Amino acid sequence: MNTLRITDGQVLRPDGTVEDADVLVDSDEGTILDIAADVETDADETLDADGCLVMPGLVNAHCHVSMTLLRGHADDKPLMSWLQEDIWPTEAELTPEDVRIGAELGLVEMIKSGTTTFADMYFHVPDVVAAIEEAGLRARVGHGAVTIGKDDEDAWADIDESLAIAREFDGAVDGRIRTAVMPHSLTTVGEEYLREVTADAHADDIPVHYHANETTNEVDPIVDERDERPLAYAQDLGMLTADDFVAHGVHVDDEEIALLAAAGTGVVHCPASNMKLASGMAPVQKMLDAGVTVGLGTDGAASNNDLDMFDEMRDAAMLGKLASDDASAVAAPDVVQMATAGSADAIGLPGGALEVGGVADIAVVDLDAPHLTPANNLVSHLVYAARGSDVRHTLCDGTVLMRDREVLTLDESAVVDRAREAASALYDRV
Ligand SMILES: [Zn+2]
């Protein structure tokens, strides 16, 4: 057995407390063997965490990682015109190679900001999976399907691809890859397609992930046409189970919150995207109070514009207070919980907590910085003061992905160069 010991750090425990301890990892199994002040010293490899906080790897529960190539391409526009005028026409020009390069860029960014696990909706999924395999992260991936504006044959082809991709890649890459069927949303995919793909996915124990109630444009047409709220419609379609998870949930009413809580369906809060596209303020504290599983996600880099979960935590806390008109709402410990265990629960992947026997998905945050001094309350610092660039080491599945800020699994400068060239060629084509 190969072991790795993270030494001399302070460790964030699942109950939110912090203690001086070493962490011993089984590098072969990718699990945590021990967390204690007196861990045996003869590990095969050590990682210095002196002056650092050792925390669970962050879990980005809703992303479109390859959209890093569209970062800054179209800003300051509302959701539908942004999608229709800028994003979709540009995405139509993306080659599988572009998607691979964009994914690698996003994965380098995630590793460098302590994210070990994510959920991703996109297309050319085999190329996203290849990038994840190389980078060493854990993910739930899926092909985002859209049927509006397509004839029946093209619509079914897209839906069938989402199902085929989910079946093919579930459990791939030593189990680090899981999948979901990912119809884009309740308004961009027609009822018959949603009903059938959901039944097929669930028959194979594959969850369904989709955008829901992101803007009023995703609510009003459903209410007008069906005289029921979107999540009641989703429940009717069978898409609201404990395995399924939705992105956004901005415009949800009390009855929908009760439906989510009763069903155990996870909601992925994406505050930066919601603010940038002026989509609205999700009632996060209300959802937490109702017992809804709430995770945190960056959404794509075109609507954020980064994949830094520390940034996202700060946004979640700030926006949550505004939405509740209460400075005590969406407090720092709840936000850290959302970005770790909440996200992991929502997307149904292991991780999100440092526990003996649990997966060794870990971020080591360097506290020795002016903006983190004095180190009064480390949980509060993670949310309000720390930045992704404070992460010193990142591990996933017991493997060191970044040591002392150097990414070990991907060649950072080569990835950045390739992404620059691919983006420039893409904009020339569009
Ligand atoms: Zn999204």
Side-chain angles (χ1 to χ4, degrees):
M1 174 172 66
N2 287 296
T3 54
L4 178 146
R5 182 168 150 246
I6 304 170
T7 62
D8 301 323
Q10 298 182 76
V11 178
L12 180 65
R13 304 311 307 267
D15 65 359
T17 60
V18 173
E19 65 183 47
D20 292 336
D22 290 354
V23 178
L24 187 68
V25 169
D26 179 339
S27 313
D28 302 326
E29 290 296 316
T31 53
I32 295 174
L33 291 168
D34 201 3
I35 302 171
D38 54 355
V39 158
E40 60 163 277
T41 54
D42 58 343
D44 300 291
E45 188 182 358
T46 58
L47 274 181
D48 176 42
D50 189 18
C52 300
L53 179 68
V54 182
M55 69 178 293
L58 293 155
V59 181
N60 185 348
H62 178 71
C63 192
H64 315 278
V65 67
S66 300
M67 288 185 86
T68 49
L69 289 193
L70 281 68
R71 196 195 316 269
H73 176 59
D75 294 330
D76 309 322
K77 299 179 77 166
L79 178 65
M80 281 325 284
S81 56
W82 175 77
L83 282 174
Q84 288 169 351
E85 293 162 16
D86 304 292
I87 298 303
W88 287 342
T90 310
E91 286 183 326
E93 292 292 326
L94 285 172
T95 65
E97 182 64 14
D98 288 334
V99 168
R100 167 82 186 249
I101 293 168
E104 287 180 2
L105 180 65
L107 294 172
V108 166
E109 187 182 352
M110 285 193 200
I111 292 169
K112 295 201 79 174
S113 50
T115 292
T116 56
T117 302
F118 67 110
D120 202 71
M121 175 193 288
Y122 219 55
F123 47 93
H124 300 314
V125 174
D127 298 274
V128 177
V129 169
I132 297 167
E133 179 171 16
E134 193 178 357
L137 281 84
R138 192 186 300 282
R140 188 176 289 281
V141 300
H143 171 86
V146 171
T147 65
I148 51 158
K150 292 179 180 169
D151 65 31
D152 195 49
E153 189 181 340
D154 286 352
W156 276 119
D158 208 17
I159 291 290
D160 289 345
E161 183 171 355
S162 195
L163 191 60
I165 287 283
R167 286 174 171 155
E168 179 178 350
F169 289 99
D170 200 28
V173 191
D174 296 329
R176 280 193 284 113
I177 299 284
R178 300 301 308 272
T179 61
V181 160
M182 299 194 182
H184 178 265
S185 76
L186 299 171
T187 51
T188 53
V189 178
E191 178 176 355
E192 73 214 86
Y193 310 104
L194 290 171
R195 197 178 292 280
E196 187 160 325
V197 79
T198 297
D200 288 346
H202 286 167
D204 286 352
D205 290 326
I206 293 170
V208 182
H209 174 49
Y210 50 102
H211 298 91
N213 304 48
E214 178 175 357
T215 63
T216 51
N217 291 328
E218 287 189 356
V219 175
D220 297 345
I222 293 174
V223 172
D224 290 347
E225 189 182 333
R226 304 174 185 278
D227 199 27
E228 65 179 347
R229 297 286 301 181
L231 294 182
Y233 171 50
Q235 186 183 46
D236 175 49
L237 293 169
M239 300 169 67
L240 214 64
T241 74
D243 296 330
D244 304 324
F245 58 109
V246 305
H248 299 296
V250 173
H251 300 279
V252 288
D253 70 8
D254 290 350
E255 283 171 28
E256 288 176 296
I257 292 173
L259 282 179
L260 289 163
T265 306
V267 175
V268 185
H269 178 40
C270 303
S273 176
N274 296 161
M275 288 192 285
K276 184 162 182 261
L277 297 168
S279 302
M281 298 188 284
V284 172
Q285 188 61 53
K286 265 189 170 182
M287 289 196 268
L288 293 173
D289 291 343
V292 176
T293 300
V294 183
L296 195 62
T298 60
D299 214 346
S303 63
N304 191 302
N305 287 359
D306 60 55
L307 306 180
D308 182 344
M309 285 288 287
F310 286 89
D311 210 15
E312 210 66 35
M313 285 197 284
R314 189 172 198 269
D315 289 343
M318 300 291 189
L319 186 61
K321 295 172 198 316
L322 269 184
S324 294
D325 191 24
D326 176 3
S328 69
V330 193
D334 292 331
V335 175
V336 172
Q337 174 76 12
M338 269 196 266
T340 54
S343 280
D345 283 355
I347 69 174
L349 291 181
L354 298 184
E355 294 171 297
V356 173
V359 293
D361 295 1
I362 300 170
V364 179
V365 183
D366 192 348
L367 302 168
D368 184 18
H371 62 272
L372 298 175
T373 304
N376 280 325
N377 180 332
L378 298 185
V379 169
S380 164
H381 274 12
L382 289 177
V383 173
Y384 295 113
R387 303 162 187 164
S389 54
D390 295 317
V391 176
R392 182 177 169 192
H393 316 299
T394 303
L395 294 83
C396 182
D397 203 30
T399 299
V400 183
L401 309 184
M402 178 174 76
R403 176 191 277 267
D404 289 320
R405 302 286 307 150
E406 184 193 351
V407 177
L408 305 178
T409 48
L410 292 167
D411 180 341
E412 179 179 346
S413 64
V415 167
V416 170
D417 285 347
R418 279 204 298 274
R420 217 176 260 136
E421 284 165 23
S424 158
L426 171 67
Y427 303 153
D428 284 349
R429 290 201 298 279
V430 169

